[in-house]
Amino acid sequence: MQGEEDSSGEESCSSHRFVPSKSVDVAELEGAAKEQAPKLCGYLNKLCGKGPLRGYKPRWFVYDPRKCYLYYFKTPQDALPLGHIEICDACFIYDVEWEEGRFEIRTAGKEFLLKAPSKQVMHYWLQELQQKRWEYSNMRGTGQRDSWGSPTLVHPPTGLVGKDNDNFVFENHSESMEKVRSDFSMESETDCGAMVGIQSARGPSAASAHPLNFSLKNFGTELRNSMLYLRPGRAGENRRSVFYTSNSNAEEWELVDAPPKDFAEQKPNLNTHRHSIGSPFSFEFARSTSRQKRPFLREMMGSGRFGRSAESRSVENSVAECNDSKPSEMQHCLQSQQEELSQMQQEQVKLKEELATQKELVRLLQQTLRTSQCDRAGACRPSETPDSSEPPEQSRPPAVTQDDVAQLEALLRERDEQVQSLCGHMERLALEKESLQQELKSLKIKVGDINDQLGMLMETIQAKDQVIVKLSQQSAEQSGNPSDAGSPPPYKEQQEISTLKDSLQGYKSQNKFLNKEIVELTVLRRNAESREKALEAKCTALEAKLCQVESKYLVLLQEVKSPVCSLTEQNPAHEVISRLLEDALQAESPDQHEHPIFKPNTVSEYDIYGFKTVPEEEEEEEKLVAKVRALELKSLSMTDQEVSVGVKWENFMASTMNRDLMQSPELKSLIRCGVPHEHRSQVWRWCVSFHVKKFRDQLPADYYETLLNMAREKPNPASKQIELDLLRTLPNNKHYASPGAAGIHKLRNILLAFSWRNPDIGYCQGLNRLAAIALLYLEQEDAFWTLIAIVEVFMPRDYYTKTLLGSQVDQRVFKDLMSEKLPRLHAHFEQHKVDFSLITFNWFLVVFVDSVVSDILFKIWDAFLYEGPKIVFRFALALFKHKEEEFLKLQDSTGIFKYLRYFTRTILDSRKLMNIAFGDMNPFPMRQIQNRRSFHLEKVRLELTELEAIRQTFLRERETSQDRQSFVSDDEEDN
């Protein structure tokens, strides 16, 4: 591996800053918000293959802290890894006697032989891998794991939710243990220049330079990586036309930019037809000035024999120089002679073609001359007709003048001379060709003689080398005689001593490394044993808790089974049931300081989003229902299907280590399954950036700060309403529950900045909830752009204005979709005259915030931020489809409307709901929604115009009636 060692790369490696480039993953482009350690990546040679193809091949290695895996790719630009090495349970070995830079990683049942470019780079990799394994093992037993991989996240949540998950519990080891590890650390150079780190990806790729760098085992993966290179080209970026001629003997042509469409097409020059080739493309070509023009035929011919003699002298001089030079120069001269011969042959072909054309021209001229002479002879013949009445000028045909005949004869003679000269030139070229062929034969003979002489010289040199070796051995034997014992030690012994010193230093480093490896593996084994014991204790505690729950359930069933004779009697079942309810609703005491592993996973006061699971102000029955709902949600999150989705996301995110996220069918299907909690911040940030890119590219980088400064300096008419709605945004979320909560200040800034950007909207109730949900997973500025994407990109115009015109239109569109997708339910609502838009209006305005349970809410937002407003229609229909049978059982309007108000809170299975939304509701084209929006928009505008006219008429009538009443009252007072 040869990397470019420049100052910028060393500076980035030493100061722990990332250089953004397309060959690195998203952590370098977006991880500037939090200080992170330098990314462990770089080129290593891996032993792979079988049989004759077995050998070391360069691979790009990247460490993934999520699972403590060391992934290896063919190049830094690849999306799919060729494989991975599990570092968490691996051991590392290297030997001084091995070749330089070679080390081994042993895992369960596998061995990986790797080779670094140098010994320093090998030491750096081994120390870093030991440190990563140590850090990962210290976090494995914390009980804070939210993912199916590791609690260590490459992109941890960055919003308000992310601050709750930064409290990982590390296993603190004693200071003596850390001192032992530091004592056994190898002394190596941590600054390896451009050989390790992200800057090594910018250097020349060792993988592309290797001639056999392919793997038959991973051929499918390499093929998919190659196809991924071509995907970004579909967008039309960085695409250039490369039309060029492949004829090496013709003149080189360069592609000039195509003329703009505004300019009229210029007429081609008639004189350039013989140099142009008809083509349907509208590109203009120009000759390249970088190549020297080829001399014309006249310049090559020279002046008769002088040109030939000069040419022959140059050939003779070149032959003489070749005789005196080395064989390589001889071959070079031979090649040049062959090239000249091929050029002469081509010129001969061209001259033959030109001669044929000249002969054809001469033939035509001769035919023209003969016809003119015949016409002239007929004109000179006497024709006397006595009875001719016509004038002599009209009866006499036009005669050919002698000047015309003389010109034609001169032209004919000139063409004959040209033909003769061309024939002579062809004879001369034929002679030159024969002479060059003879010279070529002689040169080949000379080259053979020189090669024979070279072989003889090499044999002579080998013989002399053997004699020198024998003499040196004899001199060494003579110097080893006892008579020379008093002489100083020779240079050979000094060299051996220096070699032994280097070996001793190498064995010391190896001893330190192996001692540290043994100490760490011993500690890791003890930790694994302690974790296993702790898990056994936790399993025992869970079994005991399960037995208690089962016993209480059986007691409850027994008490409920016994009949109640009178309501006034003191029934012991009431006492048992009330005691069981108290135990079920008993909150966990904050004074309990149990180890997180021994403590069973119960329902906490707040969920991972910050929403309160069991409201305090509710009645006892509603509290019990809330806790049952929370337990059911937790059990649903642990199903095999959810685990499978989490594993798919981990594998997909591992494929994005070397590239940014990009739109693809795979990403779309994964987002429709729901984004895991640990990846949601990254996915939301990318979705928002993708949708508002056209806005952000035209604005300065500090645009959001400028809006905030404007909000601080100038009074805003919407600030009063914003302050009133801050605490009413999400009162059941701990991040917005009090004036001093972390989210209140950020929410205020976002709403004020948005009101200054959109003064026609200012502030509308509902914007606060949209911004609050975005702040849970995004930073303040990203949440601001999320609000921009929803209002200005996703939703139609006038959706959040005072008239709420767009929202009213969407309700009519939704009614049409209800009649089409759910005709039975729609007819049921129409029969009982239930206007469900009174409930669904808020769904569309705030995208289901405070309408569904939190787990379903955020999965809806995942798809909404990726696909747009169509998702709101899909899930609104899916909610009604999910509870269609329950609605059809209700036969009175009061019961239907009451059930409409809370039925969404009873839907807990997000997987079933998403299957309905993305399966049963298909087909669902966005064009149909847009067409219906346009149709209903005109109708709503007409209705609003009529209502405004009625309102103005009513106001005028009321004013006149008030005036009449005032007149009557004055008369009554007078009377």
Side-chain angles (χ1 to χ4, degrees), residues 809-839:
V809 170
D810 271 1
Q811 291 308 304
R812 301 196 178 192
V813 174
F814 182 64
K815 284 185 179 180
D816 293 347
L817 293 175
M818 279 283 290
S819 63
E820 178 185 342
K821 302 288 185 181
L822 303 172
R824 294 171 56 208
L825 186 59
H826 184 265
H828 186 66
F829 286 151
E830 291 293 329
Q831 178 184 356
H832 294 280
K833 298 180 180 180
V834 175
D835 187 7
F836 55 85
S837 63
L838 299 175
I839 302 299

mmCIF file of all heavy atoms in Angstrom, residues 809-839:
data_model
loop_
_atom_site.group_PDB
_atom_site.id
_atom_site.type_symbol
_atom_site.label_atom_id
_atom_site.label_comp_id
_atom_site.label_asym_id
_atom_site.label_seq_id
_atom_site.Cartn_x
_atom_site.Cartn_y
_atom_site.Cartn_z
ATOM 1 N N VAL A 809 -59.548 20.780 1.986
ATOM 2 C CA VAL A 809 -59.525 20.030 0.731
ATOM 3 C C VAL A 809 -59.132 18.579 0.986
ATOM 4 O O VAL A 809 -59.732 17.641 0.438
ATOM 5 C CB VAL A 809 -58.566 20.698 -0.272
ATOM 6 C CG1 VAL A 809 -58.340 19.802 -1.485
ATOM 7 C CG2 VAL A 809 -59.113 22.044 -0.711
ATOM 8 N N ASP A 810 -58.130 18.355 1.839
ATOM 9 C CA ASP A 810 -57.691 16.987 2.120
ATOM 10 C C ASP A 810 -58.780 16.173 2.807
ATOM 11 O O ASP A 810 -58.862 14.952 2.601
ATOM 12 C CB ASP A 810 -56.431 17.015 2.984
ATOM 13 C CG ASP A 810 -55.172 17.065 2.142
ATOM 14 O OD1 ASP A 810 -55.292 17.099 0.907
ATOM 15 O OD2 ASP A 810 -54.062 17.081 2.709
ATOM 16 N N GLN A 811 -59.624 16.809 3.595
ATOM 17 C CA GLN A 811 -60.724 16.068 4.233
ATOM 18 C C GLN A 811 -61.729 15.579 3.193
ATOM 19 O O GLN A 811 -62.258 14.470 3.295
ATOM 20 C CB GLN A 811 -61.414 16.955 5.273
ATOM 21 C CG GLN A 811 -60.564 17.262 6.492
ATOM 22 C CD GLN A 811 -59.988 16.009 7.122
ATOM 23 O OE1 GLN A 811 -60.717 15.091 7.481
ATOM 24 N NE2 GLN A 811 -58.676 15.970 7.241
ATOM 25 N N ARG A 812 -61.977 16.368 2.174
ATOM 26 C CA ARG A 812 -62.891 15.929 1.113
ATOM 27 C C ARG A 812 -62.248 14.830 0.259
ATOM 28 O O ARG A 812 -62.929 13.890 -0.167
ATOM 29 C CB ARG A 812 -63.282 17.114 0.248
ATOM 30 C CG ARG A 812 -63.970 18.209 1.050
ATOM 31 C CD ARG A 812 -64.687 19.179 0.173
ATOM 32 N NE ARG A 812 -65.373 20.205 0.964
ATOM 33 C CZ ARG A 812 -66.262 21.053 0.475
ATOM 34 N NH1 ARG A 812 -66.564 21.007 -0.812
ATOM 35 N NH2 ARG A 812 -66.838 21.959 1.251
ATOM 36 N N VAL A 813 -60.932 14.954 0.043
ATOM 37 C CA VAL A 813 -60.226 13.893 -0.680
ATOM 38 C C VAL A 813 -60.275 12.599 0.123
ATOM 39 O O VAL A 813 -60.481 11.501 -0.425
ATOM 40 C CB VAL A 813 -58.771 14.315 -0.966
ATOM 41 C CG1 VAL A 813 -57.987 13.153 -1.587
ATOM 42 C CG2 VAL A 813 -58.732 15.516 -1.889
ATOM 43 N N PHE A 814 -60.114 12.712 1.438
ATOM 44 C CA PHE A 814 -60.140 11.523 2.280
ATOM 45 C C PHE A 814 -61.531 10.874 2.278
ATOM 46 O O PHE A 814 -61.644 9.643 2.319
ATOM 47 C CB PHE A 814 -59.726 11.893 3.705
ATOM 48 C CG PHE A 814 -59.686 10.723 4.652
ATOM 49 C CD1 PHE A 814 -58.796 9.689 4.468
ATOM 50 C CD2 PHE A 814 -60.558 10.658 5.727
ATOM 51 C CE1 PHE A 814 -58.763 8.605 5.329
ATOM 52 C CE2 PHE A 814 -60.543 9.586 6.589
ATOM 53 C CZ PHE A 814 -59.637 8.554 6.396
ATOM 54 N N LYS A 815 -62.575 11.669 2.221
ATOM 55 C CA LYS A 815 -63.933 11.100 2.138
ATOM 56 C C LYS A 815 -64.104 10.312 0.842
ATOM 57 O O LYS A 815 -64.720 9.237 0.828
ATOM 58 C CB LYS A 815 -64.963 12.215 2.223
ATOM 59 C CG LYS A 815 -65.165 12.761 3.625
ATOM 60 C CD LYS A 815 -66.287 13.781 3.656
ATOM 61 C CE LYS A 815 -66.503 14.309 5.073
ATOM 62 N NZ LYS A 815 -67.604 15.301 5.132
ATOM 63 N N ASP A 816 -63.565 10.837 -0.257
ATOM 64 C CA ASP A 816 -63.629 10.097 -1.515
ATOM 65 C C ASP A 816 -62.885 8.767 -1.414
ATOM 66 O O ASP A 816 -63.354 7.731 -1.906
ATOM 67 C CB ASP A 816 -63.044 10.930 -2.653
ATOM 68 C CG ASP A 816 -63.899 12.144 -2.969
ATOM 69 O OD1 ASP A 816 -65.046 12.193 -2.488
ATOM 70 O OD2 ASP A 816 -63.410 13.051 -3.676
ATOM 71 N N LEU A 817 -61.706 8.791 -0.782
ATOM 72 C CA LEU A 817 -60.935 7.559 -0.631
ATOM 73 C C LEU A 817 -61.635 6.574 0.295
ATOM 74 O O LEU A 817 -61.563 5.350 0.089
ATOM 75 C CB LEU A 817 -59.536 7.884 -0.095
ATOM 76 C CG LEU A 817 -58.617 8.672 -1.029
ATOM 77 C CD1 LEU A 817 -57.323 9.034 -0.337
ATOM 78 C CD2 LEU A 817 -58.326 7.873 -2.285
ATOM 79 N N MET A 818 -62.315 7.071 1.306
ATOM 80 C CA MET A 818 -63.073 6.197 2.200
ATOM 81 C C MET A 818 -64.189 5.485 1.433
ATOM 82 O O MET A 818 -64.411 4.280 1.598
ATOM 83 C CB MET A 818 -63.658 7.011 3.350
ATOM 84 C CG MET A 818 -62.693 7.301 4.481
ATOM 85 S SD MET A 818 -62.405 5.896 5.569
ATOM 86 C CE MET A 818 -63.988 5.780 6.386
ATOM 87 N N SER A 819 -64.902 6.220 0.594
ATOM 88 C CA SER A 819 -65.980 5.598 -0.186
ATOM 89 C C SER A 819 -65.449 4.594 -1.194
ATOM 90 O O SER A 819 -66.146 3.647 -1.573
ATOM 91 C CB SER A 819 -66.788 6.678 -0.905
ATOM 92 O OG SER A 819 -65.955 7.378 -1.829
ATOM 93 N N GLU A 820 -64.180 4.781 -1.628
ATOM 94 C CA GLU A 820 -63.589 3.870 -2.610
ATOM 95 C C GLU A 820 -62.942 2.662 -1.955
ATOM 96 O O GLU A 820 -63.145 1.522 -2.398
ATOM 97 C CB GLU A 820 -62.549 4.628 -3.443
ATOM 98 C CG GLU A 820 -61.831 3.772 -4.461
ATOM 99 C CD GLU A 820 -60.739 4.531 -5.182
ATOM 100 O OE1 GLU A 820 -60.768 5.783 -5.142
ATOM 101 O OE2 GLU A 820 -59.873 3.889 -5.773
ATOM 102 N N LYS A 821 -62.153 2.879 -0.897
ATOM 103 C CA LYS A 821 -61.414 1.790 -0.256
ATOM 104 C C LYS A 821 -62.248 1.055 0.800
ATOM 105 O O LYS A 821 -62.084 -0.158 0.967
ATOM 106 C CB LYS A 821 -60.135 2.346 0.395
ATOM 107 C CG LYS A 821 -59.198 3.065 -0.552
ATOM 108 C CD LYS A 821 -58.488 2.107 -1.477
ATOM 109 C CE LYS A 821 -57.463 2.838 -2.336
ATOM 110 N NZ LYS A 821 -56.764 1.918 -3.265
ATOM 111 N N LEU A 822 -63.103 1.783 1.534
ATOM 112 C CA LEU A 822 -63.910 1.188 2.612
ATOM 113 C C LEU A 822 -65.382 1.541 2.389
ATOM 114 O O LEU A 822 -65.960 2.359 3.119
ATOM 115 C CB LEU A 822 -63.432 1.681 3.979
ATOM 116 C CG LEU A 822 -61.957 1.432 4.325
ATOM 117 C CD1 LEU A 822 -61.590 2.137 5.613
ATOM 118 C CD2 LEU A 822 -61.673 -0.054 4.432
ATOM 119 N N PRO A 823 -66.012 0.982 1.390
ATOM 120 C CA PRO A 823 -67.395 1.397 1.070
ATOM 121 C C PRO A 823 -68.395 1.022 2.159
ATOM 122 O O PRO A 823 -69.331 1.783 2.421
ATOM 123 C CB PRO A 823 -67.672 0.659 -0.240
ATOM 124 C CG PRO A 823 -66.709 -0.484 -0.258
ATOM 125 C CD PRO A 823 -65.493 -0.024 0.458
ATOM 126 N N ARG A 824 -68.222 -0.121 2.814
ATOM 127 C CA ARG A 824 -69.169 -0.515 3.860
ATOM 128 C C ARG A 824 -69.135 0.448 5.036
ATOM 129 O O ARG A 824 -70.175 0.904 5.522
ATOM 130 C CB ARG A 824 -68.840 -1.928 4.353
ATOM 131 C CG ARG A 824 -69.056 -3.023 3.314
ATOM 132 C CD ARG A 824 -68.508 -4.347 3.809
ATOM 133 N NE ARG A 824 -69.090 -4.715 5.081
ATOM 134 C CZ ARG A 824 -68.481 -5.470 6.000
ATOM 135 N NH1 ARG A 824 -67.247 -5.910 5.777
ATOM 136 N NH2 ARG A 824 -69.095 -5.780 7.119
ATOM 137 N N LEU A 825 -67.929 0.777 5.477
ATOM 138 C CA LEU A 825 -67.804 1.680 6.620
ATOM 139 C C LEU A 825 -68.287 3.082 6.266
ATOM 140 O O LEU A 825 -68.935 3.761 7.081
ATOM 141 C CB LEU A 825 -66.349 1.711 7.091
ATOM 142 C CG LEU A 825 -66.064 2.487 8.372
ATOM 143 C CD1 LEU A 825 -66.866 1.920 9.538
ATOM 144 C CD2 LEU A 825 -64.576 2.459 8.690
ATOM 145 N N HIS A 826 -67.989 3.531 5.063
ATOM 146 C CA HIS A 826 -68.433 4.859 4.647
ATOM 147 C C HIS A 826 -69.958 4.918 4.583
ATOM 148 O O HIS A 826 -70.582 5.901 5.015
ATOM 149 C CB HIS A 826 -67.825 5.195 3.284
ATOM 150 C CG HIS A 826 -68.149 6.574 2.812
ATOM 151 N ND1 HIS A 826 -69.215 6.843 1.973
ATOM 152 C CD2 HIS A 826 -67.564 7.781 3.066
ATOM 153 C CE1 HIS A 826 -69.267 8.136 1.731
ATOM 154 N NE2 HIS A 826 -68.272 8.729 2.379
ATOM 155 N N ALA A 827 -70.585 3.872 4.065
ATOM 156 C CA ALA A 827 -72.051 3.851 4.025
ATOM 157 C C ALA A 827 -72.638 3.791 5.433
ATOM 158 O O ALA A 827 -73.700 4.397 5.703
ATOM 159 C CB ALA A 827 -72.515 2.640 3.204
ATOM 160 N N HIS A 828 -71.951 3.119 6.343
ATOM 161 C CA HIS A 828 -72.407 3.047 7.737
ATOM 162 C C HIS A 828 -72.387 4.434 8.374
ATOM 163 O O HIS A 828 -73.332 4.833 9.077
ATOM 164 C CB HIS A 828 -71.524 2.064 8.506
ATOM 165 C CG HIS A 828 -71.972 1.796 9.902
ATOM 166 N ND1 HIS A 828 -73.165 1.147 10.210
ATOM 167 C CD2 HIS A 828 -71.405 2.117 11.096
ATOM 168 C CE1 HIS A 828 -73.297 1.054 11.519
ATOM 169 N NE2 HIS A 828 -72.234 1.630 12.082
ATOM 170 N N PHE A 829 -71.294 5.190 8.123
ATOM 171 C CA PHE A 829 -71.210 6.560 8.656
ATOM 172 C C PHE A 829 -72.279 7.458 8.024
ATOM 173 O O PHE A 829 -72.894 8.289 8.709
ATOM 174 C CB PHE A 829 -69.814 7.138 8.406
ATOM 175 C CG PHE A 829 -68.755 6.558 9.296
ATOM 176 C CD1 PHE A 829 -67.434 6.472 8.863
ATOM 177 C CD2 PHE A 829 -69.050 6.107 10.562
ATOM 178 C CE1 PHE A 829 -66.440 5.948 9.676
ATOM 179 C CE2 PHE A 829 -68.065 5.577 11.383
ATOM 180 C CZ PHE A 829 -66.764 5.490 10.929
ATOM 181 N N GLU A 830 -72.505 7.318 6.746
ATOM 182 C CA GLU A 830 -73.511 8.135 6.075
ATOM 183 C C GLU A 830 -74.923 7.790 6.578
ATOM 184 O O GLU A 830 -75.790 8.677 6.700
ATOM 185 C CB GLU A 830 -73.426 7.911 4.563
ATOM 186 C CG GLU A 830 -72.160 8.464 3.922
ATOM 187 C CD GLU A 830 -72.123 9.974 3.969
ATOM 188 O OE1 GLU A 830 -73.211 10.609 3.918
ATOM 189 O OE2 GLU A 830 -71.013 10.530 4.074
ATOM 190 N N GLN A 831 -75.140 6.525 6.864
ATOM 191 C CA GLN A 831 -76.460 6.105 7.339
ATOM 192 C C GLN A 831 -76.793 6.747 8.684
ATOM 193 O O GLN A 831 -77.925 7.200 8.906
ATOM 194 C CB GLN A 831 -76.503 4.579 7.446
ATOM 195 C CG GLN A 831 -77.835 4.039 7.972
ATOM 196 C CD GLN A 831 -77.796 2.531 8.146
ATOM 197 O OE1 GLN A 831 -76.808 1.880 7.799
ATOM 198 N NE2 GLN A 831 -78.879 1.980 8.690
ATOM 199 N N HIS A 832 -75.793 6.804 9.571
ATOM 200 C CA HIS A 832 -76.017 7.369 10.903
ATOM 201 C C HIS A 832 -75.629 8.856 10.973
ATOM 202 O O HIS A 832 -75.622 9.420 12.080
ATOM 203 C CB HIS A 832 -75.238 6.580 11.947
ATOM 204 C CG HIS A 832 -75.716 5.157 12.108
ATOM 205 N ND1 HIS A 832 -76.826 4.839 12.855
ATOM 206 C CD2 HIS A 832 -75.252 3.989 11.595
ATOM 207 C CE1 HIS A 832 -77.020 3.519 12.814
ATOM 208 N NE2 HIS A 832 -76.071 2.980 12.054
ATOM 209 N N LYS A 833 -75.291 9.453 9.820
ATOM 210 C CA LYS A 833 -74.970 10.881 9.728
ATOM 211 C C LYS A 833 -73.848 11.270 10.688
ATOM 212 O O LYS A 833 -73.948 12.223 11.463
ATOM 213 C CB LYS A 833 -76.212 11.727 10.000
ATOM 214 C CG LYS A 833 -77.323 11.493 8.982
ATOM 215 C CD LYS A 833 -78.534 12.347 9.275
ATOM 216 C CE LYS A 833 -79.622 12.103 8.250
ATOM 217 N NZ LYS A 833 -80.834 12.935 8.504
ATOM 218 N N VAL A 834 -72.759 10.507 10.634
ATOM 219 C CA VAL A 834 -71.569 10.754 11.458
ATOM 220 C C VAL A 834 -70.513 11.419 10.576
ATOM 221 O O VAL A 834 -70.119 10.857 9.544
ATOM 222 C CB VAL A 834 -71.028 9.451 12.064
ATOM 223 C CG1 VAL A 834 -69.729 9.713 12.812
ATOM 224 C CG2 VAL A 834 -72.058 8.849 13.001
ATOM 225 N N ASP A 835 -70.106 12.600 10.963
ATOM 226 C CA ASP A 835 -69.065 13.323 10.220
ATOM 227 C C ASP A 835 -67.710 12.995 10.850
ATOM 228 O O ASP A 835 -67.297 13.604 11.840
ATOM 229 C CB ASP A 835 -69.343 14.825 10.261
ATOM 230 C CG ASP A 835 -68.382 15.598 9.363
ATOM 231 O OD1 ASP A 835 -67.612 14.953 8.623
ATOM 232 O OD2 ASP A 835 -68.394 16.841 9.423
ATOM 233 N N PHE A 836 -67.017 12.019 10.287
ATOM 234 C CA PHE A 836 -65.736 11.601 10.874
ATOM 235 C C PHE A 836 -64.622 12.605 10.607
ATOM 236 O O PHE A 836 -63.542 12.498 11.195
ATOM 237 C CB PHE A 836 -65.324 10.228 10.320
ATOM 238 C CG PHE A 836 -65.268 10.145 8.834
ATOM 239 C CD1 PHE A 836 -64.143 10.535 8.124
ATOM 240 C CD2 PHE A 836 -66.358 9.664 8.115
ATOM 241 C CE1 PHE A 836 -64.090 10.458 6.758
ATOM 242 C CE2 PHE A 836 -66.312 9.575 6.731
ATOM 243 C CZ PHE A 836 -65.180 9.973 6.049
ATOM 244 N N SER A 837 -64.846 13.592 9.732
ATOM 245 C CA SER A 837 -63.801 14.597 9.485
ATOM 246 C C SER A 837 -63.542 15.466 10.708
ATOM 247 O O SER A 837 -62.479 16.094 10.801
ATOM 248 C CB SER A 837 -64.193 15.474 8.294
ATOM 249 O OG SER A 837 -65.373 16.206 8.572
ATOM 250 N N LEU A 838 -64.493 15.517 11.661
ATOM 251 C CA LEU A 838 -64.242 16.246 12.906
ATOM 252 C C LEU A 838 -63.099 15.629 13.700
ATOM 253 O O LEU A 838 -62.424 16.323 14.464
ATOM 254 C CB LEU A 838 -65.524 16.267 13.763
ATOM 255 C CG LEU A 838 -66.736 16.960 13.141
ATOM 256 C CD1 LEU A 838 -67.945 16.800 14.048
ATOM 257 C CD2 LEU A 838 -66.432 18.429 12.901
ATOM 258 N N ILE A 839 -62.867 14.335 13.514
ATOM 259 C CA ILE A 839 -61.765 13.646 14.188
ATOM 260 C C ILE A 839 -60.532 13.595 13.290
ATOM 261 O O ILE A 839 -59.412 13.843 13.735
ATOM 262 C CB ILE A 839 -62.197 12.221 14.584
ATOM 263 C CG1 ILE A 839 -63.432 12.277 15.490
ATOM 264 C CG2 ILE A 839 -61.062 11.490 15.289
ATOM 265 C CD1 ILE A 839 -63.236 13.005 16.794
#
